[in-house]
Amino acid sequence: KWESSWRDWRCGRTQFARSRAPGEPANLSATYEGPYELALGWFFAMPRRMALLLADCAYANRFHERALHATREPFLRKEDDPLNGFWLYKCLREKGMPPVQPLPSMREPEAHNMACISSRGLYRRPSNASIAVHFLKTVSAMRYVAATLRAKRQPAIAVPPSRRCCSRMVWPSERAQHPLEACERLLSAEEMEAERAIDAAAERNRLGRTPRGHEA
């Protein structure tokens, strides 16, 4: 199930979000994440060739059009990663192209999920050995990782990992739970100002106000 959060900042709280499929656990909408920092949701990084393929794919466009007008289950839940893979598979077949080949195996330090504290296993903090890090889907998350890697390249400036800063920057559902000051030691003055601007925009959206001179 997918719903845009940028219009009224009510992601996961609308009647649409709270609807349940047969056998679905109650309160699943409470797990939805948002609001997002980008107008249409999470950020997805993909090669230009893949983006053009999906944009010109009749199957994906039909799927999208039907989903926009869905009034009953099955809806799309949070399975955006396998959905993109499914579309890619269908669109390659539509164009008569061979399927995507798997990447050579990478070790856990090179390809892993995002984690705030752990430095081992599949869920770990990014490092300068990282090649692919999963779940960096907001402007702030990417800014956090850039600042973290920058600090690692400057060993003279020791910046211990901060769970509060990481949680605020990476997980949209926890942003409001931690103050920006938790990131003072990690972020530059310019990055702190950019984060304040995001917070201010979120507050304006929450209150339904648009500052003068910024009307659409």
Side-chain angles (χ1 to χ4, degrees):
K1 180 182 295 183
W2 181 87
E3 59 171 350
S4 59
S5 63
W6 62 276
R7 289 178 180 170
D8 56 13
W9 230 245
R10 291 173 53 82
C11 183
R13 298 197 297 274
T14 63
Q15 182 178 358
F16 175 77
R18 291 174 177 173
S19 60
R20 294 169 61 189
E24 179 183 295
N27 301 318
L28 185 63
S29 61
T31 69
Y32 287 14
E33 298 182 358
Y36 306 115
E37 297 166 10
L38 303 176
L40 296 179
W42 282 339
F43 170 82
F44 285 94
M46 63 179 67
R48 181 177 182 272
R49 181 182 176 190
M50 185 185 300
L52 292 175
L53 174 71
L54 292 176
D56 191 44
C57 177
Y59 180 89
N61 286 325
R62 287 195 303 270
F63 192 110
H64 182 252
E65 186 64 25
R66 292 177 62 192
L68 286 177
H69 297 91
T71 57
R72 62 183 185 274
E73 296 288 355
F75 294 122
L76 305 182
R77 294 295 176 183
K78 288 173 55 181
E79 307 302 324
D80 43 79
D81 297 321
L83 180 61
N84 281 330
F86 172 72
W87 278 345
L88 181 59
Y89 168 76
K90 286 286 192 178
C91 296
L92 286 171
R93 290 190 63 184
E94 181 181 296
K95 300 296 183 182
M97 301 170 67
V100 175
Q101 297 298 312
L103 292 171
S105 296
M106 289 187 283
R107 298 172 301 166
E108 287 179 350
E110 298 170 334
H112 54 86
N113 284 284
M114 177 65 198
C116 286
I117 297 299
S118 173
S119 59
R120 296 183 177 183
L122 187 58
Y123 290 80
R124 62 172 66 206
R125 292 192 304 270
S127 72
N128 285 302
S130 301
I131 297 175
V133 180
H134 183 248
F135 210 97
L136 300 176
K137 299 187 177 181
T138 68
V139 173
S140 293
M142 290 181 278
R143 181 175 290 130
Y144 172 81
V145 171
T148 298
L149 300 186
R150 181 180 65 225
K152 289 180 179 294
R153 293 193 297 269
Q154 301 172 345
I157 306 175
V159 180
S162 167
R163 179 186 289 273
R164 291 202 307 160
C165 177
C166 179
S167 296
R168 183 189 200 281
M169 298 286 284
V170 174
W171 313 119
S173 58
E174 297 189 31
R175 184 178 184 92
Q177 300 178 27
H178 305 285
L180 179 57
E181 288 69 27
C183 300
E184 279 183 329
R185 297 185 61 184
L186 179 66
L187 301 181
S188 67
E190 182 178 356
E191 290 166 338
M192 291 285 288
E193 190 61 31
E195 288 298 308
R196 290 190 186 95
I198 291 174
D199 289 342
E203 182 66 10
R204 288 196 299 270
N205 277 279
R206 188 182 70 82
L207 298 175
R209 293 202 307 261
T210 301
R212 289 181 180 275
H214 290 76
E215 291 85 356

